[in-house]
Amino acid sequence: MQVTSSVREPLITGGKTLKDVTHDISRQVEGKPSIGWLLGLLVAVGALGLGFIALWLTLWEGIGMWGLNKTVGWAWDITNFVWWVGIGHAGTLISAVLLLFRQKWRMAINRAAEAMTIFAVICAAMFPIIHMGRPWLGAYWALPLPNTFGSLWVNFNSPLLWDVFAISTYFSVSLVFWYIGLIPDFATIRDRATGIRKAVYGALAFGWDGAAKTWSRYESVALILAGLATPLVLSVHTIVSFDFATSVIPGWHTTIFPPYFVAGAIFSGFAMVLTLMIVTRKLFKLEDYITIGHIELMNIVIIITGSIVGIAYITEFFIAWYSGVAAEQYAFMNRMFGPYWWAYWSMMTCNVISPQLFWFKKIRTSIVLTFILSLVVNIGMWFERFVIIVTSLHRDFLPSSWAMFYPTIYDVGVYLFTFGLFFTCFLLFAKFFPVINMAEVKSIIKSSSEKVNK
Amino acid sequence: MAHGTTNFNLDQKFDFTAALKKSIITVLVIGAVILAIGIITNMMGGGHDHAEEAGGHAYHWYQRLFANLWINNVYFTGIAIIGVFFFALQYAAQAGWSTGILRIPLSFGNWLPIAAVLMIATFFLVSHDIFHWTHSYLFDKDSPQYDKLIDGKGAFFFWPLAKGSFPIFFIARMVIFFGFWVFFFNKLKSLAFDEDLNGGTQYWKKMRTWSALFIIFFAVSSSISAWDWVMSIDTHWFSTMFGWYVFASWFVAGLSAITLVVVFLREKGYLEMVNENHVHDLGKFVFAFSIFWTYIWFSQFLLIYYANIPEETVYFVERMQSDVYSPFVFVNLVLNFFLPFFVLMTRDAKRHAIFLKVVCSLIILGHWFDFFLMVQPGTLGHNGGFGLMEVGMLLVYGSSFAFVVLSALAKKPLIAKNHPLLEESYHHHI
């Protein structure tokens, strides 16, 4: 028997019944697209198209179209890559780690967060592939294939190769996890539909029959995938951090990177979930399922992960001084007071100071302020990667080769392309797939809805 | 919710029987005897004349005694503060499942005032033998032993006084950390027992606030204390991961100790509402955070190994290429990773007391080895080792800790009977 204490906030408000859940969530899948959604899609596709010009020219002319130079050989491309991978962490964290911790509030947001994860990982993967110059070759040259394919045998000592395996495994497991979760809901939509819609959702539902045995298998698979996904979530950003930390570059080589990158990834992932969900709940009128309570809890995750990141910044800075290594000390002074001081202080303000505002209940339960701060965190986390990458490279061991990095319009354009891709995918998902896991939400309606507690 | 279906004795107290006291004191006495024998054999064994060329120090038997004091001070302080941390975590996370066992981690905090006295007193006794940076000649530019690197970090220990004088900053941090830890522990404890007397949800709400405040303080102080008390032993060496590494080690050891005490109390017939579901969750915590510790250990090791910078690799060279310590590097990994990973992987193992008793006891020993490896190589070098002195001192500290914790449990009710989530805990089923 499930017992829920009366001190807990209800997770579903408005006295919803099981039928209401089906209706409220299937509604936007079955109805005509709204004007807001169409306008959103227009903007997203526009960004995709505009960005595609930059992408096309980059591929046509070569990587020289970007602002990279001999000193700063990695800049926007890898910054964007790490930024998108980081965003791609919250989904699996919410569905896998919070499942293991039995956090029921995850049920309202896991579906959309997982979708976001998948799209963000696709956007992230674009950058290393584009940076290969000839993606039609690079895509498989990154795999350990025999030399007869024309590629060279990969370097297993390189964390960049570990990244190929980590991210592709993570992507596959996240995709399977997300899709299996969708099956019962597709069946629900199939059962309500007629004609072509019934055929399409019927095919997507894989012949789901809702039998007790089917549910039992579904739950076993969810638990196994959660168990697999949890180490994968940690491994992905750990290995992304190895890309930098295994080197001997001052500012990159620091042992705290693995857990600190993971915390930063969850931090930025939750910020993006908030950005998306605040808009979605409003557009689709899902305020009774994604309540202020949910937003508050996500904000608390942001405080925790933001503070962990803050402690990591301070630790790095302190140890740079404590180590007595002149190059380390310089790397950090240069970050703070060098030519990229503005990037450093933007990062500190957005990532360390701004999330602390969520200690005030007024702020963390305000939709408008949460939305603004979620954008601020996203910006801050982009700057974090930019600061780590560019400021550590631009003044390297030979002062005569010190340089600055200036992005070109093509750097910006390719970044815009991934934004277009991300939002196009997300909007299509939001329209045609149920954005909330109906089956899971129904499982808590008896124990955690407002009716029970009142 | 009115589910008055339970007949649990909510006012039960732990009876710290004379027989149990006697067995704990017996262990303590055996430990003290082993320690004494260890000291005597070490005194006889000599080693007075092996003057080390580098530091110019001769090895004395008492240095090994000091190193042992320090290992156990740091280790048991960690287990005690993790008890308070775990308790606070349950409130901050609004956890319901753990309500029945909350008093056990809380009781660990009773070791903190004793740990504070021991730590501060020991520091004055052992500082020159444990902490290389306490020697004033390192900061004297005219001395042949002047050390530029240590001079560079001297302010961290001596500020605002002159480097090489009295380490006021270091000691102030130690006093402040213990002071606040004891303060937060007392605050949480008094709220918890007031809740027993008066009831109402306001105590739970207040404890959530205090728990959050404690966690913030602990997040900062745990890292800094790890730099102070452990990392600064190998004064030249540095690693940004070190604070979280020590935390991870403490956390697993603390979780294992909590699990052991819960299992022990259940076998004595206490905590009827705690069933295999709750024990399963504790087992999961031990399993998961053993992997977390390994993750931190491996990340720190791999990054240093891979970059191969001599200033950093020296730490592992000293341990892995030493006849004295290299076996323990593997003991550390076997006890703290392979054992819990393979034994606690299945559901059944986490639900049966026997597996947990064996694994948690070995983990507590395993993480002691972790601290042994953090402290001894930098203080004793090749004169260290795992011998009678180590066994004896561990038994003395372990049995004293157990005595303090069980005495504290015996004084107050074992169950948080007015906790608003107690009912949820009864029906916890996984």
Side-chain angles (χ1 to χ4, degrees):
Chain A
M1 185 183 67
Q2 273 265 308
V3 172
T4 305
S5 168
S6 56
V7 292
R8 293 200 191 277
E9 302 282 330
L11 293 175
I12 303 161
T13 54
K16 297 290 181 186
T17 62
L18 295 177
K19 187 168 188 289
D20 292 336
V21 175
T22 311
H23 178 72
D24 290 347
I25 294 162
S26 306
R27 187 175 51 202
Q28 107 278 347
V29 179
E30 293 160 350
K32 282 213 158 57
S34 66
I35 297 293
W37 182 84
L38 283 171
L39 283 176
L41 191 69
L42 198 69
V43 173
V45 173
L48 186 73
L50 203 60
F52 186 74
I53 301 171
L55 174 64
W56 179 255
L57 284 168
T58 303
L59 292 178
W60 191 260
E61 300 286 346
I63 300 302
M65 299 297 274
W66 292 351
L68 303 174
N69 53 51
K70 275 189 277 184
T71 308
V72 188
W74 256 10
W76 270 51
D77 47 348
I78 196 84
T79 301
N80 297 338
F81 162 75
V82 181
W83 188 75
W84 278 119
V85 174
I87 287 170
H89 266 64
T92 309
L93 184 100
I94 289 170
S95 39
V97 179
L98 296 187
L99 172 76
L100 295 181
F101 278 107
R102 293 189 296 270
Q103 298 295 307
K104 291 177 188 163
W105 60 276
R106 78 176 194 283
M107 291 173 180
I109 50 170
N110 58 4
R111 169 72 46 75
E114 283 172 50
M116 176 201 84
T117 288
I118 289 161
F119 306 141
V121 172
I122 293 172
C123 290
M126 302 292 296
F127 286 97
I129 293 177
I130 296 167
H131 200 170
M132 288 169 183
R134 290 177 289 168
W136 49 96
L137 297 176
Y140 74 89
W141 278 17
L143 301 174
L145 296 170
N147 289 1
T148 44
F149 280 87
S151 54
L152 287 177
W153 187 245
V154 291
N155 180 5
F156 274 94
N157 288 340
S158 166
L160 295 174
L161 182 69
W162 310 341
D163 243 351
V164 173
F165 301 133
I167 291 174
S168 50
T169 313
Y170 177 68
F171 180 74
S172 316
V173 172
S174 298
L175 189 67
V176 172
F177 202 177
W178 178 65
Y179 195 82
I180 287 181
L182 274 163
I183 288 175
D185 284 1
F186 280 145
T188 306
I189 294 171
R190 170 198 67 193
D191 295 344
R192 291 160 55 97
T194 51
I196 183 101
R197 178 190 292 276
K198 193 179 183 75
V200 171
Y201 283 99
L204 288 172
F206 284 179
W208 175 268
D209 57 6
K213 192 81 194 164
T214 318
W215 275 113
S216 150
R217 290 195 183 109
Y218 170 87
E219 285 183 5
S220 309
V221 169
L223 209 57
I224 291 169
L225 286 175
L228 279 175
T230 302
L232 283 174
V233 177
L234 297 177
S235 80
V236 171
H237 232 62
T238 295
I239 291 175
V240 169
S241 81
F242 284 172
D243 291 346
F244 306 100
T246 50
S247 72
V248 289
I249 308 277
W252 283 9
H253 174 69
T254 172
T255 49
I256 206 171
F257 259 27
Y260 144 54
F261 265 48
V262 172
I266 297 166
F267 180 56
S268 67
F270 266 83
M272 190 56 109
V273 172
L274 276 169
T275 311
L276 295 175
M277 294 319 281
I278 286 173
V279 177
T280 310
R281 84 194 268 278
K282 182 82 194 156
L283 280 181
F284 294 160
K285 300 188 179 60
L286 296 171
E287 286 94 340
D288 284 328
Y289 302 97
I290 304 164
T291 62
I292 294 290
H294 287 87
I295 291 171
E296 190 180 355
L297 286 168
M298 286 192 266
N299 284 335
I300 290 173
V301 174
I302 288 195
I303 303 178
I304 295 167
T305 48
S307 306
I308 293 175
V309 168
I311 289 175
Y313 291 160
I314 296 162
T315 302
E316 276 193 306
F317 183 60
F318 166 74
I319 299 283
W321 169 79
Y322 178 86
S323 72
V325 178
E328 281 289 334
Q329 293 173 345
Y330 177 74
F332 282 87
M333 292 311 279
N334 184 44
R335 274 182 195 180
M336 285 181 182
F337 306 113
Y340 285 109
W341 62 271
W342 47 273
Y344 180 84
W345 293 107
S346 307
M347 161 190 112
M348 283 309 247
T349 316
C350 297
N351 289 351
V352 182
I353 298 163
S354 77
Q356 302 304 326
L357 293 172
F358 284 137
W359 286 107
F360 301 101
K361 193 164 173 103
K362 272 236 166 69
I363 296 180
R364 68 171 184 261
T365 51
S366 150
I367 308 264
V368 176
L369 292 175
T370 300
F371 186 72
I372 294 169
L373 281 173
S374 76
L375 294 176
V376 166
V377 169
N378 276 316
I379 294 167
M381 285 307 289
W382 189 88
F383 272 113
E384 181 200 287
R385 279 63 175 255
F386 181 80
V387 164
I388 292 173
I389 292 158
V390 174
T391 67
S392 305
L393 288 177
H394 85 117
R395 288 189 166 174
D396 65 2
F397 298 104
L398 208 61
S400 62
S401 65
W402 286 6
M404 294 290 286
F405 167 79
Y406 300 102
T408 64
I409 192 78
Y410 301 98
D411 280 296
V412 182
V414 174
Y415 189 36
L416 184 70
F417 172 80
T418 54
F419 267 102
L421 183 67
F422 180 78
F423 283 104
T424 305
C425 291
F426 192 83
L427 285 165
L428 289 175
F429 154 78
K431 172 65 192 77
F432 295 107
F433 287 10
V435 283
I436 290 181
N437 192 329
M438 292 187 263
E440 286 205 331
V441 167
K442 284 174 188 169
S443 74
I444 56 166
I445 204 148
K446 279 214 169 101
S447 59
S448 304
S449 83
E450 201 172 37
K451 252 186 183 166
V452 179
N453 286 327
K454 290 285 149 69
Chain B
M1 304 241 116
H3 292 287
T5 52
T6 51
N7 301 311
F8 301 129
N9 172 14
L10 295 181
D11 294 312
Q12 63 181 234
K13 275 189 182 177
F14 172 65
D15 181 16
F16 197 9
T17 58
L20 186 59
K21 279 184 186 160
K22 200 178 149 194
S23 16
I24 292 179
I25 290 172
T26 312
V27 177
L28 193 139
V29 171
I30 294 172
V33 170
I34 297 175
L35 177 64
I37 300 172
I39 292 172
I40 292 164
T41 47
N42 242 275
M43 284 167 80
M44 313 292 258
H48 298 264
D49 43 6
H50 303 310
E52 301 231 1
E53 281 172 35
H57 296 302
Y59 169 72
H60 295 287
W61 64 269
Y62 55 78
Q63 288 172 312
R64 187 149 167 189
L65 181 70
F66 292 172
N68 273 304
L69 277 171
W70 199 254
I71 294 169
N72 290 294
N73 277 342
V74 174
Y75 187 47
F76 285 95
T77 299
I79 295 179
I81 193 68
I82 287 301
V84 184
F85 174 69
F86 186 80
F87 179 85
L89 207 55
Q90 304 310 305
Y91 282 90
Q94 306 175 42
W97 69 274
S98 56
T99 312
I101 60 150
L102 279 177
R103 293 292 152 86
I104 286 96
L106 182 66
S107 69
F108 286 14
N110 288 288
W111 180 256
L112 283 174
I114 301 169
V117 174
L118 279 173
M119 186 85 87
I120 295 165
T122 315
F123 177 76
F124 285 103
L125 179 68
V126 307
S127 62
H128 283 314
D129 295 299
I130 302 289
F131 295 104
H132 181 55
W133 53 261
T134 52
H135 295 279
S136 48
Y137 56 74
L138 298 167
F139 306 94
D140 177 6
K141 287 198 171 66
D142 303 323
S143 157
Q145 287 158 310
Y146 172 72
D147 190 314
K148 194 168 167 240
L149 272 176
I150 297 179
D151 191 25
K153 50 187 94 178
F156 182 55
F157 308 113
F158 297 101
W159 181 86
L161 299 180
K163 290 176 200 169
S165 59
F166 184 72
I168 182 78
F169 196 21
F170 177 92
I171 289 168
R173 283 196 298 270
M174 192 182 271
V175 171
I176 289 168
F177 292 166
F178 272 110
F180 274 98
W181 292 350
V182 171
F183 164 75
F184 279 113
F185 163 64
N186 282 331
K187 188 74 205 174
L188 289 169
K189 189 169 74 166
S190 71
L191 283 169
F193 294 124
D194 284 352
E195 183 191 63
D196 281 357
L197 296 176
N198 307 321
T201 53
Q202 75 273 21
Y203 290 102
W204 181 72
K205 289 190 172 132
K206 265 190 209 162
M207 272 194 274
R208 281 178 57 191
T209 310
W210 280 101
S211 295
L213 292 173
F214 168 70
I215 290 171
I216 302 168
F217 182 76
F218 184 64
V220 178
S221 57
S222 64
S223 277
I224 300 178
S225 58
W227 304 335
D228 277 355
W229 305 342
V230 191
M231 194 169 81
S232 79
I233 291 173
D234 294 279
T235 315
H236 286 147
W237 184 77
F238 54 90
S239 167
T240 42
M241 185 76 105
F242 204 79
W244 294 352
Y245 178 68
V246 168
F247 165 75
S249 194
W250 276 352
F251 196 42
V252 186
L255 289 169
S256 303
I258 293 165
T259 310
L260 269 186
V261 177
V262 169
V263 169
F264 163 81
L265 288 175
R266 253 169 51 80
E267 290 193 344
K268 292 269 172 198
Y270 299 99
L271 307 176
E272 305 100 320
M273 71 288 292
V274 176
N275 54 41
E276 62 273 22
N277 294 298
H278 305 88
V279 173
H280 186 176
D281 268 352
L282 286 169
K284 282 187 201 168
F285 259 109
V286 173
F287 176 74
F289 281 92
S290 291
I291 298 174
F292 177 74
W293 171 85
T294 315
Y295 166 68
I296 299 288
W297 185 94
F298 178 73
S299 297
Q300 177 171 267
F301 173 77
L302 178 87
L303 291 175
I304 289 175
Y305 166 83
Y306 195 116
N308 203 14
I309 300 172
E311 288 91 323
E312 297 179 2
T313 51
V314 62
Y315 188 81
F316 290 102
V317 169
E318 266 179 20
R319 283 153 181 79
M320 297 179 105
Q321 294 184 2
S322 147
D323 293 339
V324 183
Y325 301 109
S326 63
F328 294 105
V329 174
F330 299 97
V331 169
N332 193 12
L333 288 176
V334 168
L335 290 182
N336 297 331
F337 174 63
F338 290 101
L339 175 89
F341 184 74
F342 287 111
V343 178
L344 292 185
M345 190 179 281
T346 64
R347 173 184 164 90
D348 278 351
K350 292 188 279 275
R351 294 171 79 87
H352 289 108
I354 180 69
F355 289 103
L356 289 170
K357 277 197 275 188
V358 172
V359 173
C360 291
S361 309
L362 287 172
I363 287 177
I364 291 175
L365 178 66
H367 281 281
W368 182 90
F369 275 118
D370 197 13
F371 280 90
F372 163 81
L373 279 174
M374 290 186 228
V375 173
Q376 278 211 4
T379 51
L380 304 177
H382 63 271
N383 295 307
F386 183 66
L388 293 175
M389 241 199 257
E390 282 70 27
V391 175
M393 190 70 94
L394 174 60
L395 289 178
V396 169
Y397 268 80
S399 48
S400 313
F401 184 86
F403 197 91
V404 168
V405 165
L406 293 178
S407 311
L409 279 178
K411 283 194 193 111
K412 298 279 185 179
L414 266 184
I415 310 293
K417 64 174 178 183
N418 290 325
H419 194 296
L421 303 177
L422 190 57
E423 186 82 14
E424 280 190 12
S425 169
Y426 295 160
H427 299 282
H428 179 56
H429 178 78
I430 46 171

